[in-house]
Amino acid sequence: MPRNNSFAAEEDAGAAKATAAEKAFIKKAADGGMTEVEMGQLAAEKGGSDAVKDFGSRMVKDHGKINDELKEVAGKLGVTVPTKISAKHEAAIKKMSALSGAAFDNAYVPDMVTDHKKDIAEFEAAQKTVKSEDLKEFIEHSLETMKDHLQKIEKFDQAPGHEKKS
């Protein structure tokens, strides 16, 4: 059965493999995505305004979906995504978890503005360098969601008391 074995080897050789830059991007994106979900859960629980609580819930849903999509793309490229948040992000989550109400909102909202701007810039830079079509599609789709999040959270940042305007 040498033919079957060589056929399997040819299939493996034809499988998409991530470049070092793609692997680094996937790992960083996974860490950031898991952090967004954790921070969103905190916002939904500890936020002082309904707007922040609603935004937190949306972050959990949207970034949870993005994280699932990233795992799928990473799997196609033979990359294992981290399952644990980095120590740096864990420290930020711990700091935020000590806050609640208006104090939480006043820390969370500007943090989300800064974080989303940084993430958008990193995703746009990666979009120009990645080779994988699947990863390019993931980045494009994720950018749409993150830009929408930024637009919404920037409105909170402008609103006194971060209240939702009717």
Side-chain angles (χ1 to χ4, degrees):
M1 305 217 182
R3 283 188 177 188
N4 287 342
N5 288 339
S6 73
F7 180 71
E10 286 173 26
E11 277 188 334
D12 287 345
K17 294 291 177 208
T19 64
E22 288 171 338
K23 286 179 188 176
F25 170 77
I26 289 168
K27 290 181 187 299
K28 190 169 188 177
D31 183 39
M34 290 185 295
T35 303
E36 296 289 4
V37 170
E38 291 285 327
M39 291 287 233
Q41 288 171 338
L42 284 176
E45 293 168 18
K46 295 178 167 268
S49 71
D50 288 342
V52 168
K53 288 180 179 186
D54 291 346
F55 184 81
S57 294
R58 179 156 182 208
M59 294 295 288
V60 171
K61 184 181 119 214
D62 291 354
H63 282 279
K65 185 178 177 193
I66 288 171
N67 293 350
D68 290 342
E69 291 171 7
L70 181 59
K71 284 178 196 167
E72 187 179 317
V73 171
K76 289 180 184 178
L77 295 173
V79 178
T80 304
V81 296
T83 56
K84 219 177 146 200
I85 295 172
S86 67
K88 174 185 162 190
H89 286 144
E90 273 295 340
I93 291 166
K94 185 176 181 181
K95 183 179 171 187
M96 291 295 283
S97 68
L99 304 173
S100 63
F104 180 90
D105 292 1
N106 289 333
Y108 179 74
V109 171
D111 184 62
M112 284 295 102
V113 170
T114 302
D115 188 58
H116 276 78
K117 285 180 179 178
K118 186 179 108 242
D119 291 347
I120 288 167
E122 288 173 359
F123 271 59
E124 286 175 340
Q127 191 175 33
K128 295 173 187 167
T129 61
V130 300
K131 307 277 186 262
S132 162
E133 287 304 315
D134 287 331
L135 194 52
K136 283 181 183 182
E137 284 179 34
F138 163 79
I139 291 170
E140 187 176 315
H141 177 258
S142 298
L143 276 169
E144 290 173 21
T145 302
M146 289 188 293
K147 286 177 179 179
D148 183 56
H149 290 168
L150 178 60
Q151 185 179 26
K152 286 179 175 37
I153 199 72
E154 281 180 324
K155 288 179 184 170
F156 294 172
D157 207 24
Q158 305 301 315
H162 309 296
E163 293 300 318
K164 190 185 278 187
K165 294 182 180 179
S166 311

